[in-house]
Amino acid sequence: EAGVAQSPRYKIIEKRQSVAFWCNPISGHATLYWYQQILGQGPKLLIQFQNNGVVDDSQLPKDRFSAERLKGVDSTLKIQPAKLEDSAVYLCASSLNGWGGYSYEQYFGPGTRLTVT
Amino acid sequence: GENVEQHPSTLSVQEGDSAVIKCTYSDSASNYFPWYKQELGKRPQLIIDIRSNVGEKKDQRIAVTLNKTAKHFSLHITETQPEDSAVYFCAPQRGAGGGADGLTFGKGTHLIIQP
């Protein structure tokens, strides 16, 4: 079974520039998550999609971050304009639709390491 | 939101000894309790999980115990090996499935296995 794919793996930009990350979840996984992991910390949820609808974006800094999941499969996360504190690894994860009160395992992609200078 | 604390932040044990990491959470509605292992430069991977209707679960050298009354759960690793060296995260979840069920991660415990 193919895992969660992400690109690019590394990105270096200057502050105030824009950047976009792409994620392709495991085939058949309806739920997709974006997490931000700052060095030395645990991942922090930014946004959750169920198919192509947003379920939770309460921790997404909406003044500069945006995300979409067109057609309920691939997703892109964008930062515009970037700040120094956005330097982090951006992890995408996917899981089966957890209907019926059952939580399924989340599978993580390799992440995109963003450095903002 | 959920407050999650892990202890200790760093744990050094001799190879072959046991290691225990504790996770305390605040949301009494949490009903799913996974532990993730993250090696340096790699993605988090689920190593064991437990649900609120179970008190303990074992998988070879790894076990998780849950105390819902006290709102904490622990990871136990026996007969530690060098490949167990990594950062371990707890991530209690309140999701009922089909709704907002993103994980709230603790700050992590750096486990070091001394040869």
Side-chain angles (χ1 to χ4, degrees), chain B residues 20-87:
Chain B
V20 180
I21 302 169
K22 183 176 179 179
C23 181
T24 304
Y25 60 95
S26 62
D27 190 347
S28 56
S30 293
N31 60 11
Y32 175 60
F33 307 93
W35 283 96
Y36 281 80
K37 174 183 179 182
Q38 188 173 33
E39 296 177 65
L40 188 63
K42 297 196 175 177
R43 72 194 80 186
Q45 291 196 299
L46 179 73
I47 55 170
I48 196 164
D49 57 12
I50 195 168
R51 299 178 191 274
S52 58
N53 58 343
V54 177
E56 182 177 356
K57 181 178 177 181
K58 281 185 179 180
D59 182 4
Q60 298 181 14
R61 297 187 298 109
I62 295 171
V64 55
T65 56
L66 172 65
N67 185 328
K68 278 214 80 180
T69 304
K71 288 189 278 189
H72 66 74
F73 61 112
S74 296
L75 175 68
H76 305 255
I77 305 174
T78 59
E79 301 172 21
T80 53
Q81 300 170 4
E83 55 264 36
D84 295 330
S85 292
V87 179

Side-chain angles (χ1 to χ4, degrees), chain A residues 4 31 33 35 37 40-43 45 48 50 55-56 91 97-106 108-110 113, chain B residues 31-32 36 38 41-46 49 51 89 93-108:
Chain A
V4 177
T31 309
Y33 313 80
Y35 292 86
Q37 186 173 22
Q41 298 182 19
L45 179 70
Q48 175 188 346
Q50 187 89 5
V55 176
D56 182 4
L91 294 160
N97 188 336
W99 296 112
Y102 193 84
S103 297
Y104 289 89
E105 175 180 355
Q106 295 185 20
F108 286 82
R113 182 176 298 276
Chain B
N31 60 11
Y32 175 60
Y36 281 80
Q38 188 173 33
K42 297 196 175 177
R43 72 194 80 186
Q45 291 196 299
L46 179 73
D49 57 12
R51 299 178 191 274
F89 294 98
Q93 185 191 74
R94 79 186 311 263
D101 59 1
L103 299 170
T104 300
F105 285 81
K107 292 185 177 180

